[in-house]
Amino acid sequence: MQILALETSTEWCSAALWMDGKLHLRETHAGNRHSELILPMAQQLLAEQGVSLSQLDAIAYGEGPGSFTGLRIACGVTQGLALAAGCPVIGIGSLSALAAAASLETGAVGVLAILDARMGEVYAARYRDGVEVLPPALFKPEALPSPEPGECVAGTGFFAYEALLTTAWAGQNYSVSAQRYPGAAHIAQLAVPKLLAGEGHSAERAEPVYVRNKVALKKRER
Amino acid sequence: MLVLGIESSCDETGVALYDTVAGLRSHALHSQVEMHAEYGGVVPELASRDHIRRIVPLTQRVLEAAGASLDAIDAIAYTQGPGLAGALLVGASFAQGLAVGLGIPAIGVHHLEGHLLSPLLADPRPEFPFVALLVSGGHTQLMQVDGVGRYTLLGETLDDAAGEAFDKTGQLLGLPYPGGPEISRLAQQGDAFCYSLPRPMLNSGDLDFSFSGLKTAVLNLVHKNPEARREDVAAAFQVAAVEVLAGKALRALKQTGFHRLVVAGGVSANTLLRSRLNAEAARVGATVYYPPLALCTDNGAMIAYAGAQRLLADAPAADGVFTVRPRWDLSQLQAA
């Protein structure tokens, strides 16, 4: 099975190629240059492994939450590539990819994944054995649920509010992962079981998951 | 050469297929006007979110309507700017992904070059050189056009765009968003000479425009005459705006010595503007050209067309590297 994965939801930019269990990865700190980097990175990966787009079984993209613009770059590029390749697409949550990386690093079964959402808020979700037990949601840092015993905490959202959170969670039994960002490696790996379960869908249904959905007030709400 | 055109710079998602031999094969458009109406104006983030939902179905619809397969496309043109950064990125990302996937070139097109060349999609089409009046919600410019990519700015608005003044005046009169077309509709039942509004900069001697004063004049008029019929105010506003636009366009013809005037952009659909320009141009022996009515507002056809003209001259690298240019001066373009 061959899956191309793209992740551009944070200031990092990564592309991964999953080939029957072997993973090839490109990642770089992109700032806001994702549009200049993501397609060349994907093309290099494919060229190096001698894989053509038409040989892909699916294209996976980091669906979010994360930078709105970043989410749409990965999603839009995926829509275009998948339409051309005629293959299905799979959206993978950025918090779940982050949690998978943290779990692999620390060996923790439970992960509280937290990404900085700017504007004084964070996106957070909780996973146990890779299963989502608290879906991605927006929190004020002080309103985050505290870690459960033995749980590991990961992501930029923790480090952005480290002093506040360590104080609030004093006395709790949790570990802190060094993982800060979601990456294409875990987007690809998480896409494998989804594809096997028949969850791949057509390019037109690829859409970012923003979580922060209130972005403007209607006239009658002002 | 078959070119897929993609436009997503503001609140309309447009996709089209243009054939350099057979002409426009098909085009499809989704307007977000209703969605933004609830907010009283375009919300950039919501515009981007809608573009990414529409772009694939519109592309499929256009291919189906033309009876063409993806493999038949030779190149993809997309709006690179100017416009809303997030909205532009949706079209650019999809276009570049598709181009890389198909192994064909993708070219970023200047939105205003698309508008400027859109009357060339009509029959009869103007020959170069011509004067172009670009009037929309975001732009009011007079350009000298000597060929593809050979544009000289003759004058532009110093404040509000003409379409913006229409929309804001509509808002002032309590008309639903977008106010521009509503003003024109209402004006048909009004008496334009009931009130006298200023014609800003009409006799300034140059080719620049200013519409914010006109908008303020309407505000004052409505405050002083609370009993004024909206129809009459709309008509008085429209005739003032149209007189300025027509007066400047005619001055541009005189200044350049050209006999062809091209009018493009959303406001070019305004019937009073059209009849006024046609009459005044006829008096000086000039001809006015408009894009087909369906292509006055933002659309993918004009992007496909402008992209095709550029591609005929020079094919860009198909490397998948892209950026958008939310602010991009038309005069920075190179000749094709």
Side-chain angles (χ1 to χ4, degrees), chain B residues 9 33 44 55 61 97 179 182 204 241 273 303:
Chain B
S9 66
V33 161
I55 207 155
R61 206 203 298 173
E182 287 291 319
S204 61
L273 178 65
I303 301 305

Side-chain angles (χ1 to χ4, degrees), chain A residues 35-37 39-40 43, chain B residues 78 96 100 317-323:
Chain A
S35 68
E36 296 166 60
L37 298 167
L39 273 167
Q43 285 173 290
Chain B
Y78 62 93
Q96 289 280 354
V100 163
D319 57 7
V321 177
F322 63 99
T323 54

Side-chain angles (χ1 to χ4, degrees), chain B residues 123-208:
Chain B
D123 186 27
R125 43 179 284 174
E127 301 283 318
F128 295 113
F130 53 75
V131 166
L133 171 65
L134 287 179
V135 268
S136 70
H139 309 277
T140 303
Q141 296 187 332
L142 275 164
M143 308 284 303
Q144 175 178 329
V145 180
D146 292 298
V148 175
R150 296 168 64 201
Y151 314 127
T152 313
L153 182 68
L154 300 172
E156 64 185 331
T157 183
L158 305 176
D159 39 58
D160 290 354
E164 196 180 355
F166 269 83
D167 286 344
K168 286 180 176 172
T169 301
Q171 202 177 2
L172 202 75
L173 296 178
L175 303 177
Y177 171 89
E182 287 291 319
I183 289 267
S184 312
R185 199 181 47 78
L186 213 58
Q188 289 177 354
Q189 287 116 47
D191 176 2
F193 304 100
C194 219
Y195 303 103
S196 173
L197 288 167
R199 272 65 170 157
M201 296 183 72
L202 181 56
N203 298 308
S204 61
D206 59 21
L207 295 171
D208 287 332

